[in-house]
């Protein structure tokens, strides 16, 4: 079926609407970062850069490192932006823009999120690296897609019962990372974790400045949840959407977290830029090994 102009939206130069990219602009290995400034932090290590494009908060660099073609793109913050970025990146490789038809042969992409996060378990040290083995989404993104076949409903249901989760909040969903891709970035430096993806940074993560929050013990409820050996380790704002959409589209995805804060001990990294840079270098080394 041909996709109409209001479904597949293209710019005048035939680039995809929000990202301003053409199919040839991206590699099949894609690093995502939230902050547009972090794109340069990654691409500075490329041997060469062939593409530099940007629109809104979406900045893209594609280049070569040790013979491997890699794209790094900023998503902005939140799963609402993940919906835009991942649908449009998938369209770039799996839809023919001339015919507006889905290609018969589907190209699989590899997505590696490099982001920051806050730990909610006391033993997770600031400046450490955590790979999200599972993600639990407190956002509603995945509920707009047919998704039951990729969810771990048993874990989500136990969490809802444990936390007495309010019906006024979005129904939590649990997605696992891509194990083969995760194995490529694993070492004794990496901790595996169970990441909670929140819909905001303040109230949804239990922070209170001037506005009262309606559940003062939210973080302790999340941190005290157990499912076998699994416990929720850290909070951020994109991973569940990345894992969910990637699995629905047939792509691989992992989320690499630099732990900058520990909400239990009250610590914050004394040199966050250095820690993030170390995670970037670690990830690039593993991807090109």
């Amino acid at each position: 079926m041909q996709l109409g102009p209001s479904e597949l939206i293209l710019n005048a130069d035939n680039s995809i609407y929000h990202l301003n990219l053409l199919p040839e602009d991206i590699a099949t290995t894609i690093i995502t970062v939230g902050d547009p400034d972090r794109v340069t932090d990654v691409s500075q290590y490329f041997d060469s850069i062939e593409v530099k494009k940007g629109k809104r908060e979406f900045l893209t660099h594609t280049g070569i490192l040790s013979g491997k073609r890699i794209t790094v793109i900023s998503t902005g913050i939140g799963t609402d932006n993940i919906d835009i970025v991942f649908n449009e990146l998938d369209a770039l490789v799996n839809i023919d823009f001339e015919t507006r038809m889905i290609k018969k042969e589907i190209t699989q992409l590899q997505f590696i999120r490099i982001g920051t996060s806050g730990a909610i378990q006391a033993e997770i040290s600031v400046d450490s690296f955590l790979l999200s083995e599972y993600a639990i989404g407190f956002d509603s993104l995945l509920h707009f897609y047919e998704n039951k076949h990729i969810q771990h409903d048993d874990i989500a249901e136990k969490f809802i019962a444990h936390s007495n989760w309010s019906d006024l909040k979005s129904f939590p969903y649990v997605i696992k990372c891509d194990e083969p891709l995760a194995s490529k970035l694993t070492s004794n430096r990496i901790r595996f974790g169970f990441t909670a993806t929140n819909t905001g940074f303040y109230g949804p993560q239990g922070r209170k400045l001037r506005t009262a929050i309606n559940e003062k013990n939210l973080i302790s409820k999340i941190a005290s949840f157990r499912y076998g050996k699994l416990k929720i380790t850290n909070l951020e704002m994109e991973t569940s959407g990345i894992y969910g959409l990637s699995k629905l589209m047939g792509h691989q995805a992992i989320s690499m977290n630099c732990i900058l804060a520990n909400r239990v001990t009250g610590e914050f990294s004394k040199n966050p830029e250095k820690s993030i840079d170390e995670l970037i270098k670690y990830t690039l080394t593993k991807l090109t090994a």
Side-chain angles (χ1 to χ4, degrees), residues 94-152:
N94 289 317
I95 297 175
D96 186 317
F97 284 8
E98 296 299 327
T99 64
R100 293 180 168 270
M101 302 283 286
I102 296 172
K103 295 178 181 180
K104 291 182 180 179
E105 292 188 12
I106 298 302
T107 297
Q108 185 182 68
L109 300 173
Q110 290 184 333
F111 291 108
I112 304 94
R113 171 188 176 268
I114 297 178
T116 60
S117 188
I120 57 171
Q121 302 294 339
E123 71 275 12
I124 300 177
S125 60
V126 167
D127 300 317
S128 63
F129 302 157
L130 183 147
L131 191 156
S132 304
E133 182 180 17
Y134 290 87
I136 182 167
F138 300 146
D139 62 298
S140 62
L141 173 61
L142 214 61
H143 300 313
F144 288 90
Y145 297 91
E146 294 183 3
N147 63 64
K148 282 295 181 182
H149 60 292
I150 65 167
Q151 287 195 49
H152 292 266

Side-chain angles (χ1 to χ4, degrees), residues 1-264:
M1 184 181 70
Q2 190 177 57
L3 295 164
S6 67
E7 303 303 307
L8 175 64
I9 306 172
L10 302 177
N11 298 312
D13 63 352
N14 226 34
S15 62
I16 197 75
Y17 184 58
H18 294 93
L19 303 186
N20 194 37
L21 295 173
L22 297 166
E24 60 266 27
D25 290 335
I26 65 168
T28 55
T29 296
I30 301 174
I31 294 171
T32 70
V33 295
D35 185 354
D37 290 340
R38 200 170 294 148
V39 171
T40 304
D41 292 341
V42 175
S43 69
Q44 67 175 320
Y45 294 111
F46 292 177
D47 298 324
S48 62
I49 299 173
E50 61 188 67
V51 175
K52 286 186 177 183
K53 289 188 176 181
K55 185 179 179 183
R56 307 188 190 196
E57 62 265 56
F58 310 119
L59 179 64
T60 303
H61 289 181
T62 296
I64 304 294
L65 177 60
S66 300
K68 184 178 181 64
R69 194 167 187 249
I70 300 173
T71 292
V72 55
I73 185 170
S74 58
T75 63
I77 297 174
T79 57
D80 51 347
N81 275 15
I82 294 301
D83 184 59
I84 293 171
V85 173
F86 277 62
N87 271 287
E88 294 195 0
L89 289 172
D90 177 78
L92 285 168
V93 295
N94 289 317
I95 297 175
D96 186 317
F97 284 8
E98 296 299 327
T99 64
R100 293 180 168 270
M101 302 283 286
I102 296 172
K103 295 178 181 180
K104 291 182 180 179
E105 292 188 12
I106 298 302
T107 297
Q108 185 182 68
L109 300 173
Q110 290 184 333
F111 291 108
I112 304 94
R113 171 188 176 268
I114 297 178
T116 60
S117 188
I120 57 171
Q121 302 294 339
E123 71 275 12
I124 300 177
S125 60
V126 167
D127 300 317
S128 63
F129 302 157
L130 183 147
L131 191 156
S132 304
E133 182 180 17
Y134 290 87
I136 182 167
F138 300 146
D139 62 298
S140 62
L141 173 61
L142 214 61
H143 300 313
F144 288 90
Y145 297 91
E146 294 183 3
N147 63 64
K148 282 295 181 182
H149 60 292
I150 65 167
Q151 287 195 49
H152 292 266
D153 287 332
D154 49 342
I155 303 176
E157 288 166 3
K158 289 289 179 62
F159 173 80
I160 290 165
H162 165 83
S163 62
N164 193 25
W165 196 253
S166 170
D167 290 339
L168 298 176
K169 296 185 174 77
S170 179
F171 196 88
Y173 61 91
V174 176
I175 309 289
K176 194 173 185 181
C177 73
D178 184 86
E179 294 180 77
L181 183 56
S183 68
K184 294 181 180 180
L185 281 96
T186 301
S187 75
N188 58 11
R189 190 173 182 182
I190 299 295
R191 172 191 291 270
F192 276 78
F194 185 6
T195 298
T197 296
N198 301 77
T199 58
F201 185 77
Y202 290 95
Q205 293 191 33
R207 290 184 175 91
K208 177 185 178 299
L209 299 183
R210 287 203 325 111
T211 306
I213 56 177
N214 61 13
E215 197 166 356
K216 295 179 180 178
N217 61 343
L218 175 64
I219 298 304
S220 62
K221 278 186 179 182
I222 296 172
S224 61
F225 172 67
R226 298 291 184 275
Y227 184 87
K229 295 182 179 180
L230 281 179
K231 59 183 176 181
I232 299 174
T233 50
N234 61 304
L235 309 176
E236 51 76 74
M237 294 176 63
E238 289 91 35
T239 298
S240 65
I242 290 172
Y243 283 7
L245 287 182
S246 293
K247 283 196 181 294
L248 292 178
M249 295 172 179
H251 302 308
Q252 297 179 297
I254 60 166
S255 178
M256 304 290 287
N257 302 268
C258 183
I259 302 298
L260 294 187
N262 189 300
R263 300 291 299 281
V264 180

